[in-house]
Amino acid sequence: MAFQKPTGTQDLLPGVVEKWQFVEEKARDLCRRFNYREIRTPIFEQTSLFVRGVGETTDIVEKEMYTFNDKGDRSMTLRPEGTAGVVRAYVENKIYGEPDVSKLYYIGPMFRYERPQAGRQRQFHQFGVEAIGALDPAIDAEVIALGYQLCVELGLKDVKVEINSVGNPTSRAEYREKLLGFLRPMKDSLCKDCQSRMERNPLRVLDCKVDQDKFVGAPSILDSLDEESLNHFAKLKEYLDDFGVDYAVNNRLVRGLDYYTLTAFELKAQGIGAIDTVGGGGRYNGLVGDIGGPDQPGIGFGIGLERIQLILEHQNIDVSSLAPLDVYFVALGEAADREVNRQLFKLRQSGLSGERDYLGRKMKAQMKSADRFKARYTAILGDDELERGEIALKSMDTGEQQTLKLDDLVSAIRESK
């Protein structure tokens, strides 16, 4: 072939894309119940937004962004995550002027240049929520519970949440010095990324996948939390207990973004080997101000839809890949063929789903097509039936067949649902 899809991308074909729609519809319904409204932001933004919003010491900014200069010689980047763009829209459109907490969600593609592997693509998709404007730990618990509930309602097994507090700027400054005291003696044995990040953002060193075994004795940030941070974390745990969310405290969980404060968390499910993290997030109390808005706290998460699909498949969770048709029309004769077109359009106008043959096949082949589409009914019309103003309706489940007036077809199918 002359053309193939770019490395790290995938074609979601019919028969597969319906599984994605199933997950997306679950997410949208859950957001409706939790009163989160959808927001859609550009797929590319100014590069400086992500450098400032995501953090200069993150893997995303240092290694993974798809960055280019546009025709005006402005540096632009395909969005590598969703939060920075949502916060930019929140500030630019003065959503902070609304009297209530802004509860938003998004679904869409993100882009990171990294080595493609199972559950990790260069173009990937995320569902995420952001709640901006409240410091109350109850909103932290709500956001975590929403993500947890999505995993549960999708049927994922062994769904758990890991939580931590990364403190506020005051307590984190104290912890930074303790952590540096632990890390400096081993600096020469650490990977180049850890050595580079140690002085700029030592907490990011704990997120390293190469040197994890060397951090077993690292001091816990929970021992450095001030009263404000401790109270916030204690309340969060109380609320999660009230909700029945299965969580565990992981004092080395820092997440891979620089903007987190206080709450950090990950959503996990029984996966494939080490691939068990479905998504995660945290609180970002300084991000709105950093991007140019008023000082507003926020919290959110992102869930990888590729990860969800991978775990659904691995756990053998049956997600119907093809919604059944209400009716498949079979036309026998030229006049009947035209009437079938009219009846099919009328059916679709009424909100029902239907299909017909466009290949001039015989009745047996058309009936096989109805089976492939999992049609509930087959409506069979010949020229003789047309002259009488009638049509045969056959149930594909029971095989029972009845004759109806043409004008009664749509209402009869609707009443059977």
Side-chain angles (χ1 to χ4, degrees), residues 359-376:
L359 300 175
R361 293 176 292 190
K362 295 187 181 298
M363 182 176 177
K364 184 177 180 180
Q366 293 186 51
M367 296 299 287
K368 286 182 178 179
S369 187
D371 276 333
R372 285 194 296 272
F373 284 116
K374 301 180 182 178
R376 294 171 54 228

Side-chain angles (χ1 to χ4, degrees), residues 4-10 66 111-117 120-124:
Q4 294 181 326
K5 63 183 181 293
T7 300
T9 66
Q10 56 183 328
Y66 276 94
F111 305 85
R112 297 183 193 175
Y113 188 87
E114 52 187 346
R115 185 171 64 85
Q117 53 188 291
R120 192 182 296 273
Q121 300 289 327
R122 291 178 178 175
Q123 176 178 313
F124 60 100

Side-chain angles (χ1 to χ4, degrees), residues 46 48 50 53 55 58 62 127 162 171 211 218 225 233-234 280 288 299 303 307 322 354 397:
Q46 295 178 55
S48 56
F50 298 117
T58 62
E62 289 185 337
F127 158 64
E162 289 189 355
S171 58
D211 292 325
L225 296 183
F233 197 46
V288 176
I299 182 169
I303 287 179
R307 288 286 179 92
L322 187 62
D397 285 335

Side-chain angles (χ1 to χ4, degrees), residues 140-212:
D140 299 42
E142 177 183 282
V143 165
I144 293 171
L146 193 160
Y148 176 83
Q149 190 64 23
L150 175 63
C151 295
V152 169
E153 292 191 14
L154 288 172
L156 301 186
K157 300 169 187 172
D158 295 334
V159 180
K160 294 181 176 63
V161 178
E162 289 189 355
I163 63 172
N164 192 24
S165 176
V166 293
N168 57 22
T170 302
S171 58
R172 198 156 57 250
E174 177 185 330
Y175 177 64
R176 184 180 188 277
E177 294 309 310
K178 290 182 180 178
L179 184 58
L180 280 172
F182 172 81
L183 293 173
R184 279 173 177 150
M186 65 175 71
K187 181 176 181 178
D188 291 342
S189 69
L190 298 179
C191 72
K192 290 182 180 179
D193 285 340
C194 287
Q195 292 179 26
S196 171
R197 291 170 182 156
M198 189 180 297
E199 300 299 331
R200 293 184 294 162
N201 189 350
L203 268 72
R204 285 283 293 113
V205 174
L206 295 179
D207 200 43
C208 176
K209 302 299 185 289
V210 177
D211 292 325
Q212 273 298 310

Side-chain angles (χ1 to χ4, degrees), residues 231-248:
N231 287 339
H232 189 279
F233 197 46
K235 283 289 186 183
L236 168 64
K237 290 185 284 186
E238 289 176 6
Y239 288 128
L240 292 177
D241 287 334
D242 291 342
F243 294 159
V245 170
D246 186 2
Y247 72 88

